[in-house]
Amino acid sequence: MKSKRNLLFVITIVPAVAGLGYLGYRSLGARSGDDAAPPIETVEPLPQTFSREDQGFVECPEDLSEDDEGGSELIQPPQGTYCIADLLPWGVAPSPFQPDSSLDSLQKMCGDVFADFLFYHGEGQCQWGTAMFHGTSREIQIAWNNWADKKQPAALRFVGSDLHFAQGVKPGLLVKDLAQINGRPLTLAGFGWAESGVHRSFQGGTLQMFDAPNTPYLIHYGLDWELFDSAGEDEHASIIVGESDLESTTPALEKFKAQVEYIEYRFPSGPASQPLTP
């Protein structure tokens, strides 16, 4: 049975997500000189304040069970023109997403390919959002600053394995393969807490652009939780569940098939905006 760390479905879908509070940490890893990350286009934040209620935070429904896998149908992309490219651009949100996008504007460009879903944040806290192409290799999950009107996206989570960067980074890529692309080991947060599986550092490898202090993209890692749940407690301890960081060379990461769970893009927000994590 899958744990709450996997996608949970409510009404149409309920994917699990990790914490988002990592910008401060990565700002310590800025590089200079020839190794500096490429410049990133600056986008002015929308001058508004959004409360947790605005962003769709709610107490999780009582019938949200740990092993609920739901039963929603797939939402396939329409035939013919596809409104979003599979190749993700560095440093900016992919078209047609904009800081002032709304569900209505996205539907006019992309069609009826959206469904409500509920992010599970842990400790009884959930957040409503919208899924695009749910259950397919192009799935994108949207968290809104204005959930009631479904306007002004706060974050995009790229879940589908067809969505990728030119460097080959994509959801579903095993950590060992990602380290091979990077040419050096990488560091990630341990599992089972607020920043579970968050990317820490590419240690100066070829993918160090993702470590730039102003990058809007953040990689989140996950495990094969069925393998993890079927293993013994001694094996669980070897993965380091908690706040300690992990090196990609940790044997248990390969044993439990650690991989890129999703890639997140965070839109700029005003200084008074509330964080998306509890």
Side-chain angles (χ1 to χ4, degrees):
M1 301 296 289
K2 296 181 181 178
S3 71
K4 276 186 179 174
R5 304 179 187 89
N6 279 3
L7 298 179
L8 298 177
F9 295 74
V10 170
I11 298 181
T12 54
I13 48 177
V14 184
V17 294
L20 308 178
Y22 184 53
L23 282 174
Y25 177 92
R26 294 197 315 186
S27 66
L28 299 177
R31 302 182 65 85
S32 60
D34 294 337
D35 293 334
I40 296 172
E41 179 182 344
T42 300
V43 180
E44 288 297 323
L46 297 170
Q48 289 157 325
T49 299
F50 304 102
S51 68
R52 291 171 61 80
E53 182 178 4
D54 292 334
Q55 294 175 316
F57 279 95
V58 295
E59 294 293 325
C60 292
E62 293 183 1
D63 60 351
L64 183 64
S65 69
E66 209 173 294
D67 299 312
D68 182 7
E69 296 186 16
S72 86
E73 297 181 357
L74 304 185
I75 304 176
Q76 294 286 357
Q79 295 294 322
T81 303
Y82 178 44
C83 70
I84 180 172
D86 293 338
L87 180 62
L88 300 176
W90 166 247
V92 296
S95 178
F97 294 101
Q98 300 293 331
D100 60 351
S101 290
S102 67
L103 179 59
D104 182 63
S105 68
L106 293 172
Q107 284 177 324
K108 289 177 180 177
M109 290 181 280
C110 301
D112 188 18
V113 295
F114 300 89
D116 290 349
F117 75 93
L118 200 63
F119 286 120
Y120 177 75
H121 285 285
E123 299 183 354
Q125 291 294 304
C126 289
Q127 180 191 11
W128 283 106
T130 300
M132 180 179 186
F133 305 130
H134 162 56
T136 74
S137 59
R138 289 169 170 167
E139 180 170 349
I140 301 170
Q141 301 161 359
I142 310 166
W144 303 96
N145 280 316
N146 182 345
W147 158 248
D149 297 326
K150 296 182 176 65
K151 293 182 177 180
Q152 300 180 19
L156 306 173
R157 296 178 178 94
F158 302 96
V159 178
S161 59
D162 282 350
L163 304 169
H164 62 277
F165 289 97
Q167 297 83 358
V169 181
K170 64 178 183 177
L173 185 67
L174 292 174
V175 166
K176 66 174 184 177
D177 295 331
L178 187 63
Q180 185 173 2
I181 295 173
N182 185 50
R184 300 190 64 173
L186 59 95
T187 307
L188 61 148
F191 295 91
W193 64 299
E195 293 188 20
S196 180
V198 158
H199 175 76
R200 293 301 198 202
S201 173
F202 279 113
Q203 301 185 22
T206 60
L207 298 176
Q208 64 178 299
M209 65 175 63
F210 289 94
D211 296 336
N214 57 344
T215 176
Y217 283 100
L218 180 62
I219 299 171
H220 292 255
Y221 302 99
L223 305 175
D224 184 325
W225 294 109
E226 289 186 348
L227 283 177
F228 185 84
D229 290 343
S230 64
E233 291 186 5
D234 290 343
E235 293 177 291
H236 291 176
S238 69
I239 197 65
I240 307 181
V241 176
E243 299 183 17
S244 298
D245 287 349
L246 296 168
E247 295 293 307
S248 57
T249 53
T250 303
L253 289 176
E254 183 171 355
K255 176 180 177 62
F256 294 121
K257 297 184 179 180
Q259 60 191 265
V260 177
E261 184 176 8
Y262 62 90
I263 302 166
E264 180 179 68
Y265 176 88
R266 289 156 299 172
F267 286 87
S269 58
S273 297
Q274 296 296 314
L276 291 176
T277 51

